Amino acid sequence: MTSARLWQDVTKLKDLTEDNRTSWMQSGLKLIAEGKVAVLLLAGGQGTRLGSSAPKGCYDIGLPSHKSLFQLQAERLIRVQQLAADAIYGKDSAIRHPIRWYIMTSPSTDAPTQDHFTKHQHFGLDPSQLFFFQQGQLPCLTPEGKVIMASSHRLASAPDGNGGVYLALAKSGALADMQTHGVEAVDCFAVDNALIKSADPLFIGHCHSQQTECGARVVAKAYPEEKVGVFARRGAHVEVVEYSEMDPQEAASVDPGTGELRYAWSNVCMHFFTTHFLVSMADRLQQQGRYHIAHKKIPSKDGPVQGVKLELFIFDTFPMAQRVSLMEVARGSEFAPVKNAPGSASDSPDTARQAILSLHQRWVEEAGGSVAAPEGVEVSPLVSYAGEGLFELCSGKTFQKSFDLSLQGNSREDQAIPRS
């Protein structure tokens, strides 16, 4: 990786001045209130590694409320669009432009995902603000480049990777829908981040102020050997370098000026795009027709065979952007992936659940309350998006249990959550 260089232009959330924080937050809230922000969710995966055959977004990580990942994200959207309306039009104002939510599924997860939303009354969202679409499929090939047959009349195929989102947005009509509704900025993330701040107004406002085409919220690597891609410069552009491409010594190298890892900024799939950039990338990728290859066992009519899957990565387009912004956020506040089986030491439902309960305990304590429950406490996203609005509910109070109705808002879903 000798041609890659340290990426230094990172805005650190912890170092923001109050003026910048206020200005960017107000800008982001204004864009949301005016209907210029959409959310794009990458939700094509199943919960197989979690022991579930359902779409991963349906998974219950074991919170006291038993909310699924989909519900947590939906309720954060409900809260932030109300915060935006209050900030721009006055307290308790009607929401003039609900945030449009584009949800990319796969052929195997599309129907159960939509069924899950319907069963739960779309978690309080207006169904008209949701747009479901499927990622593309590509044929699987033998190492010699011949197509593999799944049956005598059907080609073997596989999803085209999260980078297929650009083409899928165009083919499904989602990009046209964004343009019709005046969407200018898109917050994009993966379904398995239990702490994601959907449509984060601060990040959106920052990117908008920098005239960013594409950007990313990043977290500092937990340790040098962490298996994550990192942002780096190659020539004049930014790109993601996968951990497998880095020499271990280089990955562990430290910047003598700061004492921090030189390649510290992890790609955790929390991205910003302008609608214009998404349109241009869909056109460009369609023309290029270039793919990464992954050598896998492929199911075929003759049983599993060694073959090749073709895929795109969502960060393939970053080197094509003229203006890229990175913002470092706190891992404990914004990133809790659910990738590994229950009981795993990291990135599991257990670690994600604890991250949420610990974060919410800090919110309660900052609002003047205390928590006696050893595991922490759960605050509904309908009550607080990022710790705001809790003083009257929490000041001087002690919460004995991790689930307290006073912190759950008014949604029927908060009172008894089915475990489907």
Side-chain angles (χ1 to χ4, degrees):
M1 204 193 69
T2 55
S3 60
R5 295 184 289 115
L6 175 66
W7 177 263
Q8 295 176 312
D9 303 326
V10 178
T11 299
K12 296 185 178 183
L13 196 58
K14 63 182 181 180
D15 295 337
L16 288 188
T17 66
E18 195 57 38
D19 284 347
N20 275 342
R21 185 183 294 272
T22 300
S23 173
W24 293 342
M25 178 67 76
Q26 189 69 10
S27 174
L29 290 170
K30 187 172 186 292
L31 289 166
I32 292 170
E34 293 175 346
K36 296 179 180 178
V37 172
V39 166
L40 172 57
L41 179 65
L42 309 178
Q46 291 179 296
T48 307
R49 291 171 66 183
L50 305 173
S52 170
S53 60
K56 188 179 282 189
C58 301
Y59 193 80
D60 168 7
I61 64 172
L63 287 170
S65 65
H66 296 294
K67 292 178 180 177
S68 67
L69 293 169
F70 281 137
Q71 182 168 355
L72 292 173
Q73 294 164 13
E75 291 187 353
R76 288 172 190 145
L77 285 186
I78 290 172
R79 176 66 178 172
V80 76
Q81 66 186 14
Q82 186 61 61
L83 290 174
D86 291 350
I88 304 306
Y89 304 124
K91 186 170 175 55
D92 298 325
S93 291
I95 296 166
R96 303 183 186 184
H97 303 282
I99 297 171
R100 297 196 66 71
W101 193 7
Y102 299 88
I103 301 173
M104 186 175 78
T105 64
S106 64
S108 61
T109 64
D110 187 70
T113 294
Q114 296 200 49
D115 289 345
H116 185 75
F117 273 79
T118 300
K119 180 177 181 179
H120 294 278
Q121 294 81 49
H122 303 92
F123 308 110
L125 292 165
D126 184 335
S128 68
Q129 70 189 102
L130 303 176
F131 191 113
F132 295 93
F133 66 103
Q134 295 185 38
Q135 71 183 107
Q137 298 277 113
L138 290 170
C140 298
L141 308 174
T142 67
E144 295 75 33
K146 297 180 180 180
V147 295
I148 297 173
M149 300 301 296
S151 68
S152 58
H153 59 278
R154 181 169 58 89
L155 294 176
S157 63
D160 57 3
N162 62 12
V165 67
Y166 302 100
L167 297 175
L169 282 168
K171 292 177 180 177
S172 67
L175 281 181
D177 185 82
M178 290 179 187
Q179 293 170 314
T180 297
H181 286 87
V183 172
E184 297 178 4
V186 178
D187 185 29
C188 174
F189 49 85
V191 72
D192 58 9
N193 182 359
L195 275 179
I196 188 68
K197 292 172 71 175
S198 314
D200 178 13
L202 181 63
F203 176 57
I204 291 166
H206 164 68
C207 290
H208 186 261
S209 72
Q210 303 298 308
Q211 298 182 311
T212 298
E213 290 181 299
C214 71
R217 282 175 279 180
V218 301
V219 298
K221 288 178 70 173
Y223 47 91
E225 300 81 18
E226 186 176 15
K227 293 183 177 181
V228 292
V230 295
F231 286 93
R233 276 195 183 278
R234 200 184 299 269
H237 300 289
V238 64
E239 65 178 57
V240 173
V241 180
E242 291 286 40
Y243 66 88
S244 57
E245 298 179 58
M246 297 188 70
D247 178 88
Q249 186 174 358
E250 188 174 26
S253 64
V254 172
D255 182 347
T258 64
E260 298 176 343
L261 289 173
R262 291 181 60 83
Y263 297 97
W265 312 120
S266 304
N267 170 42
V268 290
C269 199
M270 297 193 287
H271 301 314
F272 169 94
F273 302 106
T274 63
T275 305
H276 180 269
F277 183 77
L278 291 174
V279 171
S280 64
M281 289 303 102
D283 291 341
R284 189 162 176 175
L285 291 173
Q286 182 70 53
Q287 294 170 9
Q288 285 185 347
R290 283 190 265 174
Y291 298 92
H292 302 277
I293 61 172
H295 297 276
K296 302 280 186 178
K297 285 285 187 181
I298 308 296
S300 78
K301 64 182 181 66
D302 301 315
V305 298
Q306 192 65 38
V308 171
K309 291 183 178 180
L310 305 176
E311 58 187 357
L312 294 166
F313 300 147
I314 196 167
F315 52 78
D316 286 341
T317 62
F318 273 59
M320 305 176 199
Q322 298 303 308
R323 296 186 68 88
V324 177
S325 295
L326 304 183
M327 175 181 281
E328 182 197 358
V329 298
R331 183 185 290 257
S333 299
E334 300 198 33
F335 184 57
V338 183
K339 297 182 180 297
N340 299 325
S344 300
S346 63
D347 298 349
S348 71
D350 312 271
T351 58
R353 178 178 64 252
Q354 191 55 57
I356 290 177
L357 297 178
S358 297
L359 174 64
H360 291 183
Q361 178 172 336
R362 294 199 298 273
W363 290 357
V364 168
E365 291 170 349
E366 289 168 0
S370 60
V371 178
E375 65 271 33
V377 70
E378 182 179 1
V379 178
S380 169
L382 297 173
V383 172
S384 186
Y385 176 78
E388 80 292 334
L390 293 176
F391 181 79
E392 290 186 6
L393 290 172
C394 299
S395 181
K397 298 178 183 178
T398 298
F399 295 89
Q400 300 292 339
K401 297 180 178 180
S402 57
F403 186 84
D404 191 292
L405 284 176
S406 68
L407 298 177
Q408 299 308 309
N410 298 317
S411 170
R412 287 182 301 164
E413 292 276 350
D414 286 319
Q415 312 306 321
I417 306 300
R419 289 175 173 271
S420 60

